[in-house]
Amino acid sequence: MKTFCLILLFLGLAVTGIEALNDFTKTKIFFASFNPQKYYHKDILVVNEKIPPMSSSSNKTSWIFYGYCKSDKLKSGITISKSTVENQNTSEIPIWRISSVKNKIIYRRKDNIVNSPFSYEMRDYWMTPILILSIIPSLFVLINIRRKKRNKSILEKYIM
């Protein structure tokens, strides 16, 4: 149990440090996905470069599009599955942005629905807050283990 708590504590502190360096981008995206009507706004990615999928056998194979956003000329790229972009104009792709996150773009699915905060597609964004929040219980467990060990050694001293 002690090893597991130490690993959680280390991962939580490392993720917190990385998020602090990146202005808590993943955490902001995760919390914005709870209320997309308030935080998401439309933009258009003007595509300069298209990279087709390597294999055409799978429907999950992704296209990569690089370009810039019309609103503020942010240069960025996005990965979209092959089935989503078929029979679409791919020179200008409608995207979604979050006002508090300046350097990240998000693509809604074919039916223009935002992925739920805990969906598989959002796993990069919900794992970060979970690891950050895991610092607190792991610290409590480590302190409790240390307290029990100290009490046990004091008790053994008095018995001898």
Side-chain angles (χ1 to χ4, degrees):
M1 186 65 158
K2 184 178 178 181
T3 305
F4 178 70
C5 288
L6 285 171
I7 290 170
L8 271 180
L9 182 67
F10 175 74
L11 284 173
L13 290 174
V15 166
T16 303
I18 292 168
E19 278 291 287
L21 289 174
N22 292 320
D23 195 30
F24 292 95
T25 301
K26 288 185 177 184
T27 308
K28 288 177 184 178
I29 291 171
F30 173 69
F31 286 112
S33 64
F34 280 106
N35 191 356
Q37 293 80 13
K38 182 178 179 182
Y39 296 108
Y40 284 41
H41 63 277
K42 289 183 179 185
D43 202 351
I44 293 178
L45 180 70
V46 179
V47 177
N48 294 336
E49 182 182 359
K50 302 174 192 179
I51 301 174
M54 297 296 177
S55 162
S56 62
S57 63
S58 173
N59 212 15
K60 297 285 184 188
T61 311
S62 298
W63 282 75
I64 301 173
F65 298 98
Y66 290 106
Y68 63 91
C69 297
K70 265 191 176 178
S71 65
D72 62 352
K73 307 293 187 219
L74 170 74
K75 292 182 180 178
S76 188
I78 194 163
T79 304
I80 304 172
S81 68
K82 181 183 169 189
S83 62
T84 306
V85 295
E86 285 178 343
N87 304 322
Q88 274 189 8
N89 176 17
T90 55
S91 60
E92 289 187 349
I93 299 174
I95 56 170
W96 293 86
R97 308 244 340 248
I98 299 171
S99 52
S100 63
V101 180
K102 302 294 181 210
N103 61 349
K104 197 77 171 169
I105 61 176
I106 295 180
Y107 184 79
R108 287 188 176 187
R109 290 182 289 178
K110 199 173 192 178
D111 48 2
N112 207 18
I113 295 175
V114 175
N115 294 319
S116 74
F118 292 102
S119 66
Y120 180 74
E121 292 85 9
M122 298 287 283
R123 68 190 175 278
D124 290 339
Y125 305 114
W126 58 262
M127 284 303 295
T128 300
I130 288 175
L131 286 173
I132 290 172
L133 292 175
S134 72
I135 293 172
I136 298 166
S138 63
L139 268 176
F140 280 129
V141 170
L142 285 171
I143 290 170
N144 196 19
I145 289 171
R146 185 174 177 140
R147 189 172 44 93
K148 284 181 181 180
K149 186 176 180 182
R150 187 178 48 178
N151 287 344
K152 185 178 177 183
S153 67
I154 291 172
L155 187 63
E156 286 175 356
K157 237 187 231 181
Y158 286 122
I159 292 177
M160 300 251 175

